Amino acid sequence: VHTTAGIGSFSTNALKTGEHFITANFSGDGSANYLGSASHGVIQMVNDPSDVGTQTVLTVAERHQQQRADQVGFTVRAKVTSSGSATAVTTGEVTFVFMYGFRTAQKLDWEGEATLSSVLPVSSWRGYQIEAIYSGGNGLQSSMSTLTLQ
C-alpha cells in the first residue's frame, strides 16, 4: 500500500477464521534516503461469525475418599461449547482459578472438556469458589464459569 503522511493502511475481509500473524514491511524510499524496516507483527484473531456465544460450564465431576478425615478430594470438569458454530470446541485451554489465587491451565480434550483433581480442607469446602476461564481459540470467543462448592 502507499503511505500518506508516513502512514499506510490496509483492510481485508479475506482472512479465514482463526489466528493470523501479520507484519508490516517498509521497503524504503531511496529518493528521500529512508531505509526499509519491518514491524514485530501482531496476532489477529478472526472469530467464527456464526459463533453467537461460547459457553463454559464448570461442575464437580466427582468427590474422592481421602486418607485424612480433614480433607475433601474432588475432580472438577469444565465443558466448553459454542452456540451456532459448526466448529467443535476441541482446542485451547481452560484456566482453573481457585479462590485464594492458585491458577493452573489444562488443555481441552477431543470432547471439549478439561478436568482437574485437587484436595481442600473440609473446613474450606462449603462456599469455596473456583473459576474456569476458556481463553478462546480457533476463532471462538472466550468464556468463563464460576462454581461455588456446596
Side-chain angles (χ1 to χ4, degrees), residues 39-74:
S39 70
H40 292 287
V42 297
I43 295 176
Q44 176 65 51
M45 173 60 78
V46 177
N47 286 333
D48 182 341
S50 58
D51 177 20
V52 295
T54 302
Q55 181 179 22
T56 299
V57 176
L58 181 61
T59 58
V60 174
E62 183 179 1
R63 282 183 66 166
H64 310 283
Q65 190 66 28
Q66 290 302 113
Q67 298 279 24
R68 296 175 41 180
D70 64 338
Q71 292 182 333
V72 177
F74 62 98

Coordinates of all heavy atoms in Angstrom, one line a residue, residues 39-74:
S39 N 8.0 -4.5 10.9 CA 7.3 -4.5 12.3 C 7.6 -5.8 12.9 O 7.9 -6.8 12.3 CB 5.8 -4.2 12.1 OG 5.2 -5.3 11.5
H40 N 7.3 -5.8 14.2 CA 7.4 -7.1 15.0 C 6.3 -8.0 14.7 O 6.4 -9.2 14.8 CB 7.5 -6.8 16.5 CG 8.7 -6.1 16.9 ND1 9.9 -6.7 17.0 CD2 8.9 -4.8 17.3 CE1 10.8 -5.9 17.4 NE2 10.3 -4.7 17.6
G41 N 5.2 -7.5 14.3 CA 4.0 -8.3 14.0 C 3.0 -8.4 15.1 O 3.3 -8.1 16.3
V42 N 1.8 -8.7 14.8 CA 0.7 -8.9 15.7 C -0.1 -10.1 15.4 O 0.0 -10.6 14.2 CB -0.3 -7.7 15.8 CG1 0.4 -6.4 16.2 CG2 -0.9 -7.5 14.4
I43 N -0.7 -10.7 16.3 CA -1.6 -11.8 16.1 C -3.0 -11.3 16.0 O -3.5 -10.7 17.0 CB -1.5 -12.9 17.1 CG1 -0.1 -13.5 17.1 CG2 -2.6 -14.0 16.9 CD1 0.2 -14.5 18.1
Q44 N -3.7 -11.4 14.9 CA -5.1 -11.0 14.7 C -6.0 -12.2 14.8 O -5.8 -13.2 14.0 CB -5.2 -10.3 13.4 CG -6.7 -9.9 13.0 CD -7.2 -8.8 14.0 OE1 -6.5 -7.8 14.2 NE2 -8.3 -9.1 14.6
M45 N -6.9 -12.2 15.7 CA -7.9 -13.3 15.8 C -9.1 -13.0 15.1 O -9.7 -11.9 15.2 CB -8.2 -13.6 17.3 CG -9.4 -14.6 17.5 SD -9.0 -16.2 16.9 CE -7.9 -16.8 18.1
V46 N -9.6 -13.8 14.2 CA -10.8 -13.7 13.4 C -11.8 -14.7 14.0 O -11.6 -15.9 13.9 CB -10.6 -13.9 11.9 CG1 -11.9 -13.8 11.2 CG2 -9.6 -12.9 11.4
N47 N -12.8 -14.2 14.7 CA -13.8 -15.1 15.3 C -14.7 -15.7 14.2 O -15.0 -15.1 13.2 CB -14.6 -14.3 16.3 CG -13.9 -14.1 17.6 OD1 -13.0 -14.8 17.9 ND2 -14.3 -13.0 18.3
D48 N -15.2 -16.9 14.5 CA -16.2 -17.5 13.7 C -17.5 -16.7 13.7 O -18.0 -16.4 14.7 CB -16.5 -18.9 14.3 CG -17.4 -19.7 13.4 OD1 -18.2 -19.2 12.6 OD2 -17.5 -20.9 13.6
P49 N -17.9 -16.2 12.5 CA -19.1 -15.3 12.5 C -20.4 -15.9 13.0 O -21.3 -15.3 13.4 CB -19.2 -14.8 11.1 CG -18.4 -15.8 10.3 CD -17.3 -16.4 11.2
S50 N -20.4 -17.3 12.9 CA -21.6 -17.9 13.4 C -21.6 -18.3 14.9 O -22.5 -18.8 15.4 CB -21.9 -19.2 12.5 OG -20.8 -20.1 12.6
D51 N -20.4 -18.0 15.5 CA -20.3 -18.3 17.0 C -21.1 -17.2 17.7 O -20.5 -16.1 18.0 CB -18.9 -18.4 17.4 CG -18.7 -18.6 18.9 OD1 -19.6 -19.1 19.5 OD2 -17.6 -18.3 19.4
V52 N -22.3 -17.4 18.1 CA -23.1 -16.4 18.8 C -22.8 -16.4 20.3 O -23.2 -15.5 21.0 CB -24.6 -16.6 18.5 CG1 -24.9 -16.4 17.1 CG2 -25.1 -18.0 19.0
G53 N -22.0 -17.4 20.7 CA -21.7 -17.4 22.2 C -21.0 -18.7 22.6 O -21.5 -19.8 22.3
T54 N -19.8 -18.6 23.1 CA -19.1 -19.8 23.7 C -19.5 -19.8 25.1 O -19.6 -18.8 25.8 CB -17.6 -19.6 23.5 OG1 -17.4 -19.5 22.1 CG2 -16.9 -20.8 24.0
Q55 N -19.8 -21.0 25.6 CA -20.2 -21.2 27.0 C -19.3 -22.2 27.7 O -18.9 -23.3 27.1 CB -21.6 -21.7 27.0 CG -22.2 -21.9 28.4 CD -23.6 -22.4 28.4 OE1 -24.1 -23.0 27.5 NE2 -24.3 -22.2 29.5
T56 N -18.9 -21.9 28.9 CA -18.1 -22.8 29.7 C -19.0 -23.2 30.9 O -19.5 -22.3 31.6 CB -16.8 -22.1 30.2 OG1 -16.0 -21.8 29.1 CG2 -16.0 -23.1 31.1
V57 N -19.1 -24.5 31.2 CA -19.9 -24.9 32.3 C -19.0 -25.7 33.2 O -18.3 -26.7 32.8 CB -21.1 -25.8 31.9 CG1 -21.8 -26.3 33.1 CG2 -22.0 -25.0 31.0
L58 N -18.8 -25.3 34.5 CA -18.0 -26.0 35.5 C -18.8 -26.7 36.4 O -19.7 -26.2 37.0 CB -17.1 -24.9 36.2 CG -16.1 -25.4 37.2 CD1 -15.1 -26.3 36.6 CD2 -15.4 -24.2 37.9
T59 N -18.5 -28.0 36.6 CA -19.2 -28.9 37.6 C -18.2 -29.7 38.4 O -17.1 -29.9 38.0 CB -20.2 -29.8 36.8 OG1 -19.4 -30.6 35.9 CG2 -21.3 -29.1 36.1
V60 N -18.7 -30.2 39.5 CA -17.9 -31.1 40.3 C -18.2 -32.5 39.7 O -19.4 -33.0 39.7 CB -18.3 -31.1 41.8 CG1 -17.6 -32.3 42.5 CG2 -18.0 -29.8 42.4
A61 N -17.2 -33.1 39.1 CA -17.4 -34.4 38.5 C -17.5 -35.5 39.5 O -18.2 -36.5 39.3 CB -16.3 -34.6 37.4
E62 N -16.7 -35.4 40.5 CA -16.6 -36.5 41.5 C -15.9 -36.0 42.8 O -15.1 -35.1 42.8 CB -15.7 -37.6 40.9 CG -15.5 -38.8 41.6 CD -14.6 -39.8 40.9 OE1 -14.1 -39.5 39.8 OE2 -14.4 -40.9 41.5
R63 N -16.4 -36.6 43.9 CA -15.7 -36.4 45.2 C -15.0 -37.7 45.5 O -15.5 -38.8 45.3 CB -16.7 -36.1 46.3 CG -17.2 -34.6 46.2 CD -18.1 -34.3 47.3 NE -17.5 -34.3 48.6 CZ -18.0 -33.8 49.7 NH1 -19.2 -33.2 49.7 NH2 -17.4 -33.9 50.9
H64 N -13.8 -37.6 46.0 CA -12.9 -38.7 46.3 C -12.8 -38.9 47.8 O -12.8 -38.0 48.6 CB -11.5 -38.5 45.8 CG -11.5 -38.1 44.4 ND1 -11.7 -38.9 43.3 CD2 -11.2 -36.9 43.8 CE1 -11.6 -38.3 42.2 NE2 -11.3 -37.0 42.4
Q65 N -12.7 -40.2 48.2 CA -12.4 -40.5 49.6 C -10.9 -40.2 49.8 O -10.1 -40.6 49.1 CB -12.7 -42.0 49.8 CG -12.6 -42.4 51.3 CD -13.8 -41.7 52.1 OE1 -14.8 -41.4 51.5 NE2 -13.5 -41.5 53.3
Q66 N -10.6 -39.5 50.9 CA -9.2 -39.1 51.2 C -8.7 -40.0 52.4 O -9.5 -40.5 53.2 CB -9.1 -37.6 51.6 CG -9.3 -36.7 50.4 CD -8.4 -36.9 49.3 OE1 -8.7 -37.4 48.2 NE2 -7.1 -36.7 49.5
Q67 N -7.4 -40.1 52.5 CA -6.8 -40.8 53.6 C -7.0 -40.0 54.9 O -7.3 -40.7 55.9 CB -5.3 -40.9 53.4 CG -4.9 -41.6 52.1 CD -4.9 -43.1 52.4 OE1 -5.6 -43.6 53.3 NE2 -4.1 -43.8 51.6
R68 N -7.0 -38.7 54.8 CA -7.2 -37.9 56.0 C -8.7 -37.5 56.1 O -9.2 -37.0 55.2 CB -6.3 -36.7 56.0 CG -4.8 -37.1 56.1 CD -3.9 -35.9 55.9 NE -4.3 -34.7 56.7 CZ -3.7 -33.6 56.7 NH1 -2.6 -33.5 56.0 NH2 -4.1 -32.6 57.4
A69 N -9.2 -37.5 57.3 CA -10.6 -37.2 57.5 C -10.9 -35.7 57.4 O -12.0 -35.2 57.2 CB -11.1 -37.7 58.9
D70 N -9.8 -34.8 57.5 CA -10.0 -33.4 57.5 C -9.8 -32.8 56.1 O -9.7 -31.6 55.9 CB -9.0 -32.7 58.5 CG -7.5 -32.9 58.1 OD1 -7.2 -33.9 57.4 OD2 -6.7 -32.1 58.5
Q71 N -9.8 -33.7 55.1 CA -9.6 -33.3 53.7 C -10.7 -33.8 52.8 O -11.3 -34.9 53.0 CB -8.3 -33.7 53.1 CG -7.1 -33.0 53.7 CD -5.8 -33.5 53.1 OE1 -5.7 -34.6 52.5 NE2 -4.8 -32.7 53.1
V72 N -11.1 -33.0 51.7 CA -12.0 -33.5 50.7 C -11.3 -33.5 49.4 O -10.7 -32.5 49.0 CB -13.2 -32.5 50.6 CG1 -14.2 -32.9 49.5 CG2 -13.9 -32.4 51.9
G73 N -11.3 -34.6 48.7 CA -10.7 -34.7 47.4 C -11.8 -34.6 46.4 O -13.0 -35.0 46.6
F74 N -11.5 -34.0 45.2 CA -12.6 -33.8 44.2 C -12.0 -33.6 42.9 O -10.8 -33.3 42.7 CB -13.4 -32.5 44.6 CG -12.6 -31.2 44.6 CD1 -12.6 -30.4 43.5 CD2 -11.9 -30.9 45.7 CE1 -11.9 -29.2 43.5 CE2 -11.2 -29.7 45.7 CZ -11.2 -28.9 44.6

